Amino acid sequence: MLEKPRVFVTRKVDEAAIALLETVAAVEVWLDYKAPSKVEMLSKAQDVDAILANTEDRIDEDVLAVSNGRLKVVANMAVGFDNLDVITATRLGIAMSNTPGVLTKTTAELGFALMMAVSRQIVTGDRDVRDGKWQHWHPSAYLGVDLAGSTLSVIGMGKIGFEFAKRAKAFEMRVLYHNRSPRKDIGEGFEYCEKLETALEQADFLCITTPLTKETHHFIGKAQLSLMKPAAILINIARGAVVDNIALFEALKEGRIAGAGLDVTEPEPIPADHPLLTLANVVITPHIGSASQRTRRDMAVLAAQNIKARLSGEPMPSCVNPEAMTRKTQREKGEEFASHALDAELDEEV
C-alpha cells in the first residue's frame, strides 16, 4: 500500500482546512503559537510533500532544497508572497500559491478603521478615559479631521485599494489614485494621478495598498513624505517595508505629517523600543488586516485546496508559478518568471 503524502501546516488553522487536507494526505500541525524556527522548519521540510505556510514563515532556498525533490507545493496563507523564494521554487519544480480575493474586503475594512481611529483620535481618547485623564469636556479637546470633503490618495489601485476607495466614496471623499496605468474597469468618480508626486501633494489621507517588491521597497520615504501636507494622515495596509519607517517617524515627530495608521511595520513584530511607539499620533495594529473569523477560515481552506489540487494532479486555484510544474525551467527562466509573477501581482493588487 502506497504511503500517503505528508503535509506540514506551520500553524493551527481552521478545522475545515485540515479536514480537506486529510482527504489526500497525512497532516502534521505545528501547535505552538510561535512560528517554527529555521532549524525546526528545515527538519520538517525534509520529508513532506507539501507545506501550508503563512507570512511569518521564510520559505527560502535552504528550506526548499532540503527535501531533495520530495516537496511538491508550498501554499501561502496570504495574498502577498514576499516570504517565498519563488525563483528557487520554480527552478526546483515546486509549485507555490497564495490566497487572493478572499481577504480583499476584510483588509479594506481594517484600513478604513485605522483611518477613522487616527483622524478622530479614538485610541488617544480611549486611553485617556481609561487612565483617568478625561476630567472635563472642552471645545478644543480631541479635535479630529472630517472624512467628508477630504481628499484620499490610494497608492496601488488593485483589489484592496479599490475596495478602500469605494468605502471612501461612500463617506463623500474625493478619491485620487496612483497606479502604473489608469484602470478603465472601476467606473467613474476615481481620479488617476500619473505622477506619484501629484497624489502625495493633494492627499489629506494617503492609503498604501501596493505589494512589496524590489521596486516598492521603501517606496514611501523621506522625499515622498516631504511632499505631503502637514495635516495629512498616512495609512499602510500593504507591507511594512513599502514605507521607510524611520523616515516616517521623523516626519511624524517633526510635524511634517499629522498622523499614521499602520497594520504592517518593518520589522514585524515591531520591537517594543521602536521610536514609532513613542508617538501619540500613530495607531499600530498587529497585522490583522485579514483577521476576521470568516476570512481566516476562507484563506486556510483556499490554501488547502491548492495543496490538495497539486497532490492530486489537478489545476491549482491560485498558483503563482505554474511553470514550476513543467519541471523544465532553468535558473534564468525561473528568474524571468518570478519577475512576471510579481508584475501579475502588481496588476491584481496594486
Side-chain angles (χ1 to χ4, degrees), residues 108-158:
E109 288 174 1
L110 187 278
F112 215 85
L114 280 171
M115 184 166 68
M116 296 190 73
V118 178
S119 67
R120 296 301 301 272
Q121 299 199 46
I122 291 172
V123 174
T124 299
D126 176 83
R127 186 183 301 119
D128 285 357
V129 170
R130 294 173 186 274
D131 292 345
K133 294 180 180 179
W134 181 50
Q135 298 295 327
H136 304 283
W137 186 94
H138 193 280
S140 64
Y142 304 106
L143 297 182
V145 180
D146 290 317
L147 299 188
S150 295
T151 296
L152 166 70
S153 290
V154 177
I155 306 302
M157 189 65 117

Side-chain angles (χ1 to χ4, degrees), residues 167-215:
R167 285 155 177 76
K169 290 295 292 183
F171 274 70
E172 301 179 6
M173 301 180 77
R174 177 192 179 205
V175 179
L176 313 179
Y177 72 97
H178 172 72
N179 228 33
R180 292 184 304 169
S181 58
R183 288 191 54 176
K184 300 177 181 179
D185 59 335
I186 59 175
E188 299 180 352
F190 307 98
E191 303 173 41
Y192 175 62
C193 295
E194 182 177 1
K195 294 183 178 180
L196 173 64
E197 292 79 6
T198 304
L200 295 173
E201 290 169 352
Q202 297 195 35
D204 298 306
F205 296 89
L206 182 75
C207 181
I208 301 164
T209 59
T210 176
L212 177 62
T213 69
K214 291 180 180 179
E215 291 76 20

Side-chain angles (χ1 to χ4, degrees), residues 42-107:
L42 288 169
S43 175
K44 298 295 183 183
Q46 288 184 49
D47 57 355
V48 296
D49 301 89
I51 298 173
L52 196 159
N54 65 50
T55 56
E56 198 175 4
D57 303 314
R58 307 303 302 181
I59 309 298
D60 58 15
E61 185 171 7
D62 296 336
V63 174
L64 296 170
V66 76
S67 71
N68 292 318
R70 178 169 178 172
L71 185 63
K72 297 180 180 64
V73 56
V74 177
N76 207 37
M77 193 174 143
V79 172
F81 46 91
D82 48 286
N83 58 310
L84 309 182
D85 186 344
V86 179
I87 294 173
T88 298
T90 303
R91 175 170 58 83
L92 295 176
I94 299 169
M96 291 187 153
S97 66
N98 63 343
T99 57
V102 296
L103 51 77
T104 302
K105 294 180 185 295
T106 306
T107 303

